[in-house]
mmCIF file of all heavy atoms in Angstrom:
data_model
loop_
_atom_site.group_PDB
_atom_site.id
_atom_site.type_symbol
_atom_site.label_atom_id
_atom_site.label_comp_id
_atom_site.label_asym_id
_atom_site.label_seq_id
_atom_site.Cartn_x
_atom_site.Cartn_y
_atom_site.Cartn_z
ATOM 1 N N PRO A 106 -3.686 15.723 25.252
ATOM 2 C CA PRO A 106 -4.828 14.956 25.666
ATOM 3 C C PRO A 106 -5.134 13.771 24.709
ATOM 4 O O PRO A 106 -5.477 12.657 25.122
ATOM 5 C CB PRO A 106 -5.969 15.897 25.739
ATOM 6 C CG PRO A 106 -5.312 17.217 25.977
ATOM 7 C CD PRO A 106 -4.045 17.113 25.232
ATOM 8 N N GLU A 111 -5.015 7.941 23.287
ATOM 9 C CA GLU A 111 -4.524 6.869 22.468
ATOM 10 C C GLU A 111 -3.714 5.818 23.247
ATOM 11 O O GLU A 111 -3.833 4.612 23.108
ATOM 12 C CB GLU A 111 -3.663 7.426 21.335
ATOM 13 C CG GLU A 111 -4.424 8.245 20.299
ATOM 14 C CD GLU A 111 -3.559 8.897 19.297
ATOM 15 O OE1 GLU A 111 -2.335 8.591 19.340
ATOM 16 O OE2 GLU A 111 -4.060 9.654 18.489
ATOM 17 N N LEU A 146 -12.515 0.188 24.497
ATOM 18 C CA LEU A 146 -12.441 -1.087 23.679
ATOM 19 C C LEU A 146 -13.208 -0.969 22.409
ATOM 20 O O LEU A 146 -12.844 -1.486 21.389
ATOM 21 C CB LEU A 146 -12.971 -2.228 24.508
ATOM 22 C CG LEU A 146 -12.101 -2.543 25.749
ATOM 23 C CD1 LEU A 146 -12.773 -3.693 26.574
ATOM 24 C CD2 LEU A 146 -10.762 -3.024 25.376
ATOM 25 N N THR A 185 -18.637 -15.137 4.037
ATOM 26 C CA THR A 185 -18.749 -14.847 5.460
ATOM 27 C C THR A 185 -20.008 -15.495 6.006
ATOM 28 O O THR A 185 -20.902 -15.947 5.206
ATOM 29 C CB THR A 185 -18.860 -13.310 5.714
ATOM 30 O OG1 THR A 185 -20.066 -12.803 5.215
ATOM 31 C CG2 THR A 185 -17.647 -12.627 5.033
ATOM 32 N N ALA A 212 -12.869 -10.438 6.313
ATOM 33 C CA ALA A 212 -12.413 -11.715 5.582
ATOM 34 C C ALA A 212 -11.389 -11.336 4.557
ATOM 35 O O ALA A 212 -10.417 -12.074 4.370
ATOM 36 C CB ALA A 212 -13.628 -12.345 4.901
ATOM 37 N N HIS A 216 -7.368 -12.545 4.240
ATOM 38 C CA HIS A 216 -6.751 -13.056 3.004
ATOM 39 C C HIS A 216 -5.503 -12.308 2.728
ATOM 40 O O HIS A 216 -4.459 -12.885 2.329
ATOM 41 C CB HIS A 216 -7.750 -12.884 1.847
ATOM 42 C CG HIS A 216 -7.266 -13.484 0.582
ATOM 43 N ND1 HIS A 216 -6.544 -12.778 -0.366
ATOM 44 C CD2 HIS A 216 -7.356 -14.717 0.069
ATOM 45 C CE1 HIS A 216 -6.221 -13.538 -1.335
ATOM 46 N NE2 HIS A 216 -6.729 -14.772 -1.133
ATOM 47 N N SER A 219 -2.568 -13.349 4.921
ATOM 48 C CA SER A 219 -1.905 -14.615 4.418
ATOM 49 C C SER A 219 -1.025 -14.354 3.247
ATOM 50 O O SER A 219 0.105 -14.881 3.102
ATOM 51 C CB SER A 219 -3.031 -15.641 4.103
ATOM 52 O OG SER A 219 -3.745 -15.983 5.193
ATOM 53 N N GLY A 230 -2.938 -4.409 -5.450
ATOM 54 C CA GLY A 230 -3.821 -3.398 -6.124
ATOM 55 C C GLY A 230 -5.030 -3.185 -5.289
ATOM 56 O O GLY A 230 -5.590 -4.112 -4.685
ATOM 57 N N TRP A 233 -11.781 0.944 -4.412
ATOM 58 C CA TRP A 233 -12.261 1.968 -3.556
ATOM 59 C C TRP A 233 -13.565 1.498 -2.931
ATOM 60 O O TRP A 233 -14.071 0.497 -3.287
ATOM 61 C CB TRP A 233 -12.505 3.271 -4.285
ATOM 62 C CG TRP A 233 -13.746 3.317 -5.118
ATOM 63 C CD1 TRP A 233 -13.947 2.514 -6.271
ATOM 64 C CD2 TRP A 233 -14.933 4.155 -5.003
ATOM 65 N NE1 TRP A 233 -15.167 2.784 -6.760
ATOM 66 C CE2 TRP A 233 -15.746 3.800 -6.036
ATOM 67 C CE3 TRP A 233 -15.208 5.145 -4.089
ATOM 68 C CZ2 TRP A 233 -16.993 4.358 -6.121
ATOM 69 C CZ3 TRP A 233 -16.496 5.698 -4.180
ATOM 70 C CH2 TRP A 233 -17.364 5.360 -5.240
ATOM 71 N N PHE A 270 -7.528 7.333 -3.136
ATOM 72 C CA PHE A 270 -6.316 7.885 -2.541
ATOM 73 C C PHE A 270 -6.204 7.580 -1.030
ATOM 74 O O PHE A 270 -5.173 7.133 -0.559
ATOM 75 C CB PHE A 270 -6.340 9.425 -2.777
ATOM 76 C CG PHE A 270 -5.100 10.130 -2.207
ATOM 77 C CD1 PHE A 270 -4.068 10.346 -2.963
ATOM 78 C CD2 PHE A 270 -5.137 10.621 -0.892
ATOM 79 C CE1 PHE A 270 -2.884 10.957 -2.500
ATOM 80 C CE2 PHE A 270 -4.018 11.289 -0.351
ATOM 81 C CZ PHE A 270 -2.876 11.435 -1.154
ATOM 82 N N SER A 324 -13.990 -3.719 -5.342
ATOM 83 C CA SER A 324 -15.372 -3.930 -4.969
ATOM 84 C C SER A 324 -16.250 -3.748 -6.077
ATOM 85 O O SER A 324 -15.931 -3.171 -7.153
ATOM 86 C CB SER A 324 -15.748 -2.840 -3.858
ATOM 87 O OG SER A 324 -15.553 -1.561 -4.362
ATOM 88 N N THR A 341 -24.244 11.736 -12.306
ATOM 89 C CA THR A 341 -25.535 12.544 -12.217
ATOM 90 C C THR A 341 -26.734 11.549 -12.354
ATOM 91 O O THR A 341 -26.509 10.439 -12.856
ATOM 92 C CB THR A 341 -25.586 13.607 -13.256
ATOM 93 O OG1 THR A 341 -25.621 12.930 -14.609
ATOM 94 C CG2 THR A 341 -24.366 14.485 -13.235
ATOM 95 N N ASP A 356 -20.779 -1.730 -11.743
ATOM 96 C CA ASP A 356 -19.470 -1.266 -12.094
ATOM 97 C C ASP A 356 -18.421 -1.792 -11.177
ATOM 98 O O ASP A 356 -18.689 -2.186 -10.031
ATOM 99 C CB ASP A 356 -19.434 0.287 -12.078
ATOM 100 C CG ASP A 356 -19.187 0.795 -10.722
ATOM 101 O OD1 ASP A 356 -20.136 0.791 -9.867
ATOM 102 O OD2 ASP A 356 -18.089 1.236 -10.437
ATOM 103 N N PRO A 372 -20.158 6.848 -23.100
ATOM 104 C CA PRO A 372 -19.029 7.769 -23.038
ATOM 105 C C PRO A 372 -18.176 7.689 -21.768
ATOM 106 O O PRO A 372 -17.021 7.822 -21.761
ATOM 107 C CB PRO A 372 -19.688 9.112 -23.213
ATOM 108 C CG PRO A 372 -20.905 8.890 -23.995
ATOM 109 C CD PRO A 372 -21.413 7.560 -23.604
ATOM 110 N N ALA A 390 -7.304 -10.365 -9.678
ATOM 111 C CA ALA A 390 -8.369 -9.579 -9.026
ATOM 112 C C ALA A 390 -9.209 -10.498 -8.099
ATOM 113 O O ALA A 390 -9.677 -11.592 -8.490
ATOM 114 C CB ALA A 390 -9.276 -8.926 -10.054
ATOM 115 N N ILE A 394 -17.743 -8.429 -2.501
ATOM 116 C CA ILE A 394 -19.171 -8.176 -2.647
ATOM 117 C C ILE A 394 -19.858 -8.134 -1.310
ATOM 118 O O ILE A 394 -19.867 -9.169 -0.636
ATOM 119 C CB ILE A 394 -19.851 -9.273 -3.582
ATOM 120 C CG1 ILE A 394 -19.192 -9.135 -4.966
ATOM 121 C CG2 ILE A 394 -21.360 -9.045 -3.637
ATOM 122 C CD1 ILE A 394 -19.596 -10.360 -5.845
ATOM 123 N N PHE A 406 -20.808 -9.424 -12.858
ATOM 124 C CA PHE A 406 -19.342 -9.359 -12.715
ATOM 125 C C PHE A 406 -18.683 -10.692 -12.819
ATOM 126 O O PHE A 406 -17.645 -10.872 -13.490
ATOM 127 C CB PHE A 406 -18.964 -8.589 -11.469
ATOM 128 C CG PHE A 406 -17.479 -8.689 -11.135
ATOM 129 C CD1 PHE A 406 -16.629 -7.849 -11.806
ATOM 130 C CD2 PHE A 406 -17.000 -9.502 -10.186
ATOM 131 C CE1 PHE A 406 -15.256 -7.948 -11.557
ATOM 132 C CE2 PHE A 406 -15.598 -9.564 -9.859
ATOM 133 C CZ PHE A 406 -14.811 -8.794 -10.598
ATOM 134 N N ILE A 416 -14.742 -12.811 -2.403
ATOM 135 C CA ILE A 416 -15.097 -12.724 -0.994
ATOM 136 C C ILE A 416 -16.470 -12.067 -0.946
ATOM 137 O O ILE A 416 -16.653 -10.931 -1.355
ATOM 138 C CB ILE A 416 -14.077 -11.951 -0.164
ATOM 139 C CG1 ILE A 416 -12.700 -12.654 -0.381
ATOM 140 C CG2 ILE A 416 -14.426 -11.957 1.268
ATOM 141 C CD1 ILE A 416 -11.520 -11.981 0.325
#
Side-chain angles (χ1 to χ4, degrees):
E111 290 174 6
L146 295 176
T185 70
H216 184 270
S219 298
W233 75 296
F270 180 89
S324 60
T341 65
D356 83 285
I394 297 168
F406 170 74
I416 302 176

